[in-house]
Amino acid sequence: MNKPLDILIKVCILFFINQSLYSADVNFHAWGGSIMINDFIKEVSKNLKSKNINLNHTKITDIAESIKILESDKKIGNFQKGSVDLMWVNGENFHKLKKNQLLFGPIDKIENYKFINQNDQSLHIDFGEPVDGLEVPWGRAQFVMIYDSMMIKNPPQTIKQLSDFIKKNPGRFTYPQIPDFHGTTFLKQLLYELVEDKTILQKPFSNCLNPCLPIINLMTFLKEINPFLWNKGRRFPKSVSQTVPMLSNRELWLTISFNPNMAAANVRSGNLRDVTRTTSFINGAIGNTHYLAIPFNSPNKTAALEVINYLISPKSQADKSNIDIWGDPTVLDLNTMNKKQKKLFLDKESIHILPNNQIPYLVEPHYTWTEAIENEWFKTFN
Amino acid sequence: MNGLKHLINQNTPLLIIFLLFGIIFLIIGNIFYELIIQLTIRSFSNDFINLLPSISITLMNNLFSVICAILIAFFITNYLYKKSSANSSFLIILISFPHISYCIGITYLFATSGLFARLFAIFYGNEIPFTSSSGDGLANFIYILSLALREVPFLVLIGLSVWNKINSNQIQQQVSVLGHSELSALMNCIFPLWLKSMGLPILIIIAFSFSNYEFSLILGPQFPDMINVKIIESWYSSNRELTKLLNSLIIITVLISSFAILILFYLRKVTIIYLKTTRLFISINYNLYLLGKYLVILLITLFIVIFLITFFLSINNSWFFPSIIPVTFTLKGWTYMIDNYAELFLNSILISSVISISSLILMTYIIEISLKNNKIFRILLLLSFIILVMPQNIMLIGISGLMTRLSIFSIEIWFYFSLFIYIFPYTYFMMKQTYEDFNPQYIDNANVLGISKIKSFFYIKLPLMINDFLLIFGVSFSVCFYQFLQGIIVTKGEKLLFNNEVLILFSGESINTASAGSLLNFIPAGLLLIFIFIKSRYARM
């Protein structure tokens, strides 16, 4: 045989053997509705190529789809060859996965876990449910309100101010229709504002006496503001994304979000006006954490752990928190890092976002409250 | 040996159909099995009572939209037929227009800060949109009108071929000799005949009304949500109350869609008898030709405006109230879609093509082998009716359940199968019409000359029917390419078509990317159907 051709064939064979021996596919099930998030995951995928990991982003509408896959797999006895290797999850979905033993773990023995604040309970309790090493914190969010500063000079920062604003400016505020996640979070935030003893929200809903006063107060408040909402409260947007163009067109003057950097990111992309600003409830706003978890039947658990380790590395977390990339606040404790690593997190200044730690974090109520609030809302408004 | 071969050949179509029938039977059986296990009469009646507002809204909205669509389609058909059916080429483009773009376009048209509000602001001078106080009455009206107008091109396309067969010119001449008005000829004679032949397309649009998700979600009312939305919502939900509702919702959907079919077909019968026996329009003479013309103008204008809105949304960088067109432009939505979804886009074209061609080949084979076997046609008709009448969301939930229960085929196979069964009825109905229109004399002559069946098919039938075959392929392709519920219910996001990604992007904040995606979605089916139309110059079903 021709010698150069012979060498070329050998090199090719070696390359393929090398690829097949060491490369692993990790199917990452994550929401695919945001191009910023999709781009971030795409970039991560490129970076992981050097570790011989192919990260495939399966863009889903709702993580409930992936949970249904795992439930079917368990039902038919597929314990080894699942199609989901990694999931972006939190809240009641995590509870469902944990309760039905659909997760692999503990997965918190990875190298970069040391950067995560071990004393911050909000990272280790997911909607009142202990994480128990079955998921690893990936990012955090805090309830904020986004407003048009040309229309609102003094944005509301308490429930009383919000109520006054809504009544004085009928039709300029709304919240997403329940059971949308943002809509439910808004109701939980109001619940925090309305209850005197906030600790009750950390206990299961069944601890609340029947009739449950906080829920009654919440519904009374909602009924009171309902006629003053957008469309007189007869229609609600399906998601918070739908309110973005409404805010930019000044149809609404105030909307809600769960990403403190959302306004900045949308101003940059031209979706919102430059006069858009962020505020929140001054006494504290619900903050929660979103996590990464590995399903029980992932065939690539080692590679999935490698991906998680990368995703919680200072470099990846710094990229993620950059408002030019995603703008999702980090879960890492900067005190555990060296100078070089800390430098990665130097915030880009923006007038559109809330300065760090300005608003106290409130822990998500116990997950059972979510269903209770939703059901009561359906009964009252649907 | 030859006898055995002949026997196998003759019975293969029957075996294929029975296999398909068996799977469909298993799917439907599985749905009802699950329902029987999980649902009690008490819980169903409770759910039924709680859902009554949703049920009535869903039923009324869909009934009115189908009735509106039939009436509008009739007047437009009258106008187009008189004007010249060659001018109906625009219908092909309208039919291939993606539903998601259509819904988003309508939303941006009627929103408080939408195009109408912006046009109003030019005259009124308001810099801020007025507060919206429109309730569900307006939402219902928008839903009915927009769904009706979306169905009109499909009904007109079929309606034109029906009109051709009615011989309306002769009817009109005879009626005018008897001293009756043109309106009387149209409403007392032609409309009943036309309506009588439109049973199948009406059935198709009723089935679509009760299984569509995008129209009910984007344009439908919210208090209460329509049943179509509630099904998908409870399919996704982790709220136990909503999850429990799913079984009741399945039964309710089957019941109300069957009820709607019965009502509409009863209404059709009553209308036909009433119009035939009364002389309501004898002396009245309105110019319905002009009405048809205005409706065509309205329809075309609506689609053009929607296309422009979607296009502007896809290239806008900042498009704030009250400006009529975007102030700054960007192509980032388009480049993002091309960079990230080109492979899926091409893959979806490939999947849709392969499935449409397979369906075409299979149906040709079945029909060719069983040309004189009426039993097979009856079974095919029944199978197609079951698939079409059973709301798609329910059928797919059944497939998903059976997939878990059997676990013998891979998810891909179920995905392709779930796409295939929605192409199958369309292929059958169009193919049957094509064969009925074909003059059998050609084949009889070829038989006399001793030309084999295969040769006469490839050398005589195929060249003569090629335009019809292309049209069937085009329609099947566009039906398949625009599917998305399979990606949600059957594969749970593991295997998707391009349309799924567009829907996912619409749930996010990147409206310009999603709009670019929805326009990209329009290109393959649109181009294919335009090409077919130019080539064949006529369309029939």
Side-chain angles (χ1 to χ4, degrees):
Chain A
M1 196 188 272
N2 191 334
K3 207 168 180 187
L5 190 67
D6 191 31
I7 294 167
L8 187 70
I9 290 170
K10 279 178 184 165
V11 168
C12 285
I13 290 170
L14 273 172
F15 174 77
F16 284 116
I17 288 173
N18 184 43
Q19 282 293 306
S20 60
L21 276 180
Y22 297 110
S23 75
D25 287 330
V26 174
N27 291 323
F28 182 22
H29 281 223
W31 181 60
S34 160
I35 56 170
M36 285 183 104
I37 299 174
N38 294 351
D39 281 345
F40 171 77
I41 297 174
K42 196 175 166 186
E43 202 54 41
V44 169
S45 173
K46 274 185 204 163
N47 295 339
L48 285 167
K49 286 264 186 267
S50 61
K51 295 179 191 289
N52 284 317
I53 291 172
N54 301 318
L55 184 69
N56 307 316
H57 179 190
T58 304
K59 300 182 188 80
I60 49 161
T61 323
D62 196 310
I63 200 69
E65 292 172 30
S66 315
I67 297 176
K68 279 186 193 292
I69 297 174
L70 300 180
E71 284 172 337
S72 313
D73 282 352
K74 196 168 183 190
K75 217 170 172 181
I76 61 170
N78 179 6
F79 296 104
Q80 301 288 329
K81 291 180 181 172
S83 53
V84 188
D85 295 306
L86 189 59
M87 303 167 84
W88 176 11
V89 73
N90 77 346
E92 60 268 37
N93 289 315
F94 167 69
H95 170 74
K96 198 172 181 181
L97 288 163
K98 189 182 171 190
K99 191 178 145 201
N100 297 328
Q101 298 179 324
L102 297 170
L103 293 176
F104 165 76
I107 54 172
D108 53 3
K109 305 287 177 249
I110 46 180
E111 192 194 338
N112 288 330
Y113 198 81
K114 65 183 179 218
F115 294 116
I116 286 172
N117 191 335
Q118 305 302 319
N119 301 319
D120 186 349
Q121 280 307 297
S122 70
L123 298 177
H124 305 289
I125 293 178
D126 186 358
F127 282 57
E129 183 71 26
V131 165
D132 292 340
L134 293 171
E135 51 180 11
V136 168
W138 186 31
R140 60 197 321 175
Q142 190 173 25
F143 180 85
V144 290
M145 289 183 282
I146 296 171
Y147 67 99
D148 188 321
S149 63
M150 282 293 279
M151 298 289 121
I152 307 174
K153 296 289 170 217
N154 301 306
Q157 291 189 315
T158 62
I159 192 163
K160 170 83 180 60
Q161 288 171 0
L162 179 68
S163 170
D164 289 346
F165 165 78
I166 292 169
K167 285 173 188 169
K168 272 184 197 154
N169 303 287
R172 299 302 180 187
F173 176 75
T174 188
Y175 56 92
Q177 191 181 359
I178 310 304
D180 173 80
F181 165 73
H182 289 94
T184 311
T185 308
F186 173 64
L187 301 197
K188 285 190 268 188
Q189 177 65 46
L190 294 181
L191 200 61
Y192 258 119
E193 292 283 315
L194 289 167
V195 291
E196 280 178 17
D197 176 18
K198 293 183 181 11
T199 54
I200 192 171
L201 300 177
Q202 297 315 311
K203 296 170 192 158
F205 173 69
S206 52
N207 289 24
C208 190
L209 290 174
N210 192 16
C212 180
L213 206 60
I215 297 268
I216 291 173
N217 290 342
L218 175 66
M219 291 303 140
T220 312
F221 177 79
L222 290 174
K223 274 193 255 177
E224 199 184 301
I225 62 165
N226 207 53
F228 303 98
L229 295 180
W230 175 76
N231 260 318
K232 294 185 176 167
R234 285 183 293 203
R235 281 172 77 80
F236 290 84
K238 279 282 173 194
S239 66
V240 88
S241 314
Q242 278 184 17
T243 65
V244 172
M246 287 156 83
L247 182 70
S248 71
N249 288 319
R250 293 189 170 141
E251 203 175 332
L252 297 179
W253 294 353
L254 178 75
T255 187
I256 57 168
S257 174
F258 215 49
N259 181 351
N261 297 331
M262 181 181 148
N266 276 285
V267 168
R268 284 191 85 84
S269 59
N271 291 336
L272 286 175
R273 292 175 200 251
D274 199 41
V275 290
T276 312
R277 301 286 184 273
T278 305
T279 187
S280 198
F281 286 93
I282 202 81
N283 295 328
I286 292 181
N288 80 17
T289 308
H290 47 258
Y291 300 82
L292 296 163
I294 301 175
F296 70 104
N297 62 350
S298 156
N300 301 303
K301 293 186 180 83
T302 317
L305 279 169
E306 190 81 28
V307 175
I308 296 177
N309 196 42
Y310 177 80
L311 287 171
I312 60 163
S313 66
K315 159 86 177 73
S316 179
Q317 285 281 311
D319 286 347
K320 190 161 164 273
S321 63
N322 184 341
I323 52 166
D324 292 335
I325 297 174
W326 177 348
D328 198 39
T330 183
V331 288
L332 303 189
D333 180 0
L334 267 61
N335 297 326
T336 58
M337 295 177 197
N338 60 36
K339 261 188 184 170
K340 202 179 158 193
Q341 287 165 333
K342 268 187 199 168
K343 219 175 164 186
L344 294 168
F345 286 87
L346 280 179
D347 278 336
K348 287 200 169 189
E349 282 189 14
S350 168
I351 49 168
H352 308 290
I353 59 174
L354 271 179
N356 268 346
N357 305 323
Q358 198 190 61
I359 304 286
Y361 264 84
L362 296 175
V363 185
E364 276 277 358
H366 191 268
Y367 71 90
T368 47
W369 282 86
T370 305
E371 205 165 296
I373 295 171
E374 285 175 356
N375 293 342
E376 201 52 41
W377 193 88
F378 294 142
K379 265 191 235 161
T380 316
F381 293 100
N382 221 350
Chain B
M1 201 62 188
N2 275 343
L4 183 68
K5 205 174 159 186
H6 180 71
L7 197 69
I8 292 170
N9 275 342
Q10 283 301 306
N11 289 315
T12 314
L14 209 60
L15 281 173
I16 296 169
I17 296 167
F18 273 122
L19 181 72
L20 268 175
F21 220 106
I23 301 172
I24 299 291
F25 180 78
L26 277 176
I27 292 165
I28 296 171
N30 184 61
I31 297 170
F32 288 104
Y33 175 73
E34 296 274 346
L35 292 177
I36 290 165
I37 299 177
Q38 292 173 22
L39 202 64
T40 61
I41 294 174
R42 201 177 152 186
S43 64
F44 174 72
S45 35
N46 281 341
D47 292 341
F48 190 86
I49 292 163
N50 291 337
L51 288 166
L52 261 178
S54 280
I55 295 169
S56 52
I57 291 281
T58 311
L59 188 66
M60 296 314 284
N61 278 355
N62 288 336
L63 275 178
F64 280 126
S65 72
V66 173
I67 292 169
C68 285
I70 294 168
L71 290 173
I72 296 170
F74 177 73
F75 295 128
I76 290 180
T77 312
N78 173 40
Y79 167 74
L80 289 176
Y81 183 78
K82 281 184 183 157
K83 199 165 184 265
S84 159
S85 57
N87 284 325
S88 58
S89 53
F90 71 92
L91 292 169
I92 293 286
I93 303 165
L94 304 191
I95 287 172
S96 55
F97 197 76
H99 288 172
I100 295 174
S101 308
Y102 180 83
C103 293
I104 296 294
I106 295 272
T107 311
Y108 271 75
L109 207 57
F110 290 102
T112 322
S113 55
L115 194 67
F116 284 142
R118 289 170 196 228
L119 288 171
F120 184 74
I122 293 177
F123 302 106
Y124 197 82
N126 56 316
E127 287 288 313
I128 300 161
F130 294 117
T131 51
S132 168
S133 57
S134 59
D136 277 351
L138 183 69
N140 287 323
F141 173 74
I142 292 172
Y143 175 84
I144 292 170
L145 192 70
S146 50
L147 182 61
L149 290 173
R150 185 69 192 89
E151 300 298 359
V152 164
F154 170 68
L155 284 177
V156 174
L157 193 68
I158 299 165
L160 275 171
S161 69
V162 169
W163 205 290
N164 266 322
K165 287 176 189 165
I166 292 173
N167 204 355
S168 61
N169 287 341
Q170 207 180 343
I171 293 173
Q172 266 173 342
Q173 276 169 11
Q174 285 169 346
V175 170
S176 66
V177 166
L178 292 169
H180 294 185
S181 67
E182 206 178 304
L183 182 69
S184 176
L186 199 66
M187 296 310 292
N188 292 113
C189 304
I190 299 170
F191 184 58
L193 288 171
W194 183 82
L195 197 59
K196 208 174 172 182
S197 309
M198 292 291 284
L200 179 67
I202 291 173
L203 190 75
I204 292 174
I205 63 168
I206 299 172
F208 173 74
S209 312
F210 282 92
S211 57
N212 83 73
Y213 174 57
E214 62 278 40
F215 278 86
S216 314
L217 178 78
I218 304 171
L219 301 175
Q222 283 177 309
F223 284 122
D225 267 327
M226 289 173 71
I227 296 288
N228 320 18
V229 177
K230 282 197 181 291
I231 284 195
I232 302 294
E233 209 171 75
S234 48
W235 170 259
Y236 273 135
S237 187
S238 42
N239 181 315
R240 279 170 300 169
E241 293 289 319
L242 280 178
T243 317
K244 269 189 242 163
L245 261 187
L246 186 64
N247 291 318
S248 301
L249 286 167
I250 290 173
I251 299 186
I252 288 166
T253 305
V254 173
L255 287 178
I256 58 168
S257 59
S258 311
F259 185 61
I261 290 168
L262 288 176
I263 287 186
L264 277 169
F265 277 73
Y266 175 73
L267 275 178
R268 185 179 75 140
K269 199 178 161 189
V270 169
T271 312
I272 290 169
I273 294 169
Y274 179 76
L275 288 172
K276 271 183 180 173
T277 50
T278 55
R279 287 148 199 266
L280 198 67
F281 301 102
I282 286 178
S283 50
I284 314 165
N285 207 359
Y286 291 120
N287 193 348
L288 289 184
Y289 176 81
L290 212 59
L291 176 66
K293 188 179 177 178
Y294 291 146
L295 285 170
V296 169
I297 294 169
L298 173 77
L299 192 70
I300 296 176
T301 312
L302 180 76
F303 273 83
I304 290 174
V305 170
I306 285 172
F307 176 81
L308 287 176
I309 289 175
T310 320
F311 180 68
F312 282 145
L313 282 172
S314 76
I315 55 165
N316 92 87
N317 200 26
S318 48
W319 189 15
F320 305 134
F321 188 89
S323 94
I324 301 287
I325 52 165
V327 181
T328 50
F329 297 93
T330 173
L331 282 176
K332 69 181 180 200
W334 287 86
T335 48
Y336 180 83
M337 287 310 294
I338 292 163
D339 285 351
N340 289 278
Y341 298 104
E343 198 184 328
L344 181 69
F345 181 68
L346 296 173
N347 204 20
S348 299
I349 293 177
L350 183 72
I351 291 172
S352 306
S353 306
V354 170
I355 288 177
S356 310
I357 291 170
S358 314
S359 173
L360 193 66
I361 292 171
L362 186 74
M363 197 56 76
T364 312
Y365 172 72
I366 293 173
I367 292 180
E368 273 296 319
I369 300 280
S370 12
L371 267 177
K372 286 181 181 108
N373 189 348
N374 277 335
K375 213 190 303 170
I376 297 250
F377 287 103
R378 263 183 242 134
I379 302 171
L380 275 173
L381 186 71
L382 182 66
L383 191 63
S384 305
F385 266 108
I386 293 172
I387 296 170
L388 283 181
V389 173
M390 191 77 173
Q392 194 189 22
N393 40 16
I394 312 286
M395 184 72 103
L396 295 178
I397 288 172
I399 291 179
S400 169
L402 189 69
M403 190 173 86
T404 313
R405 197 172 288 277
L406 289 180
S407 69
I408 42 174
F409 300 119
S410 68
I411 206 162
E412 280 86 5
I413 291 177
W414 285 109
F415 176 63
Y416 298 137
F417 174 76
S418 61
L419 287 172
F420 172 78
I421 58 164
Y422 283 97
I423 309 305
F424 184 81
Y426 295 97
T427 315
Y428 167 68
F429 289 123
M430 289 191 283
M431 190 69 102
K432 190 170 171 280
Q433 188 63 51
T434 303
Y435 269 85
E436 277 173 9
D437 292 347
F438 183 76
N439 187 352
Q441 194 67 46
Y442 295 116
I443 303 301
D444 292 342
N445 292 345
N447 281 346
V448 171
L449 294 170
I451 296 168
S452 72
K453 220 174 165 181
I454 294 179
K455 253 189 177 174
S456 63
F457 174 79
F458 281 105
Y459 289 103
I460 301 169
K461 271 188 190 171
L462 197 59
L464 287 171
M465 298 200 296
I466 192 75
N467 285 337
D468 295 85
F469 275 42
L470 272 174
L471 182 65
I472 296 167
F473 169 69
V475 172
S476 311
F477 177 87
S478 65
V479 170
C480 189
F481 195 73
Y482 290 147
Q483 298 289 319
F484 65 90
L485 279 177
Q486 285 84 349
I488 297 173
I489 298 172
V490 178
T491 69
K492 287 115 191 158
E494 283 199 88
K495 188 97 188 150
L496 299 170
L497 288 178
F498 184 71
N499 206 16
N500 281 94
E501 294 292 1
V502 175
L503 198 72
I504 293 172
L505 286 168
F506 266 118
S507 71
E509 293 136 26
S510 350
I511 191 76
N512 60 352
T513 313
S515 302
S518 82
L519 288 180
L520 261 177
N521 221 2
F522 180 37
I523 293 172
L527 283 181
L528 180 67
L529 286 168
I530 292 167
F531 164 75
I532 291 166
F533 195 85
I534 292 167
K535 193 176 179 307
S536 60
R537 279 266 160 210
Y538 72 99
R540 64 168 189 242
M541 183 165 164

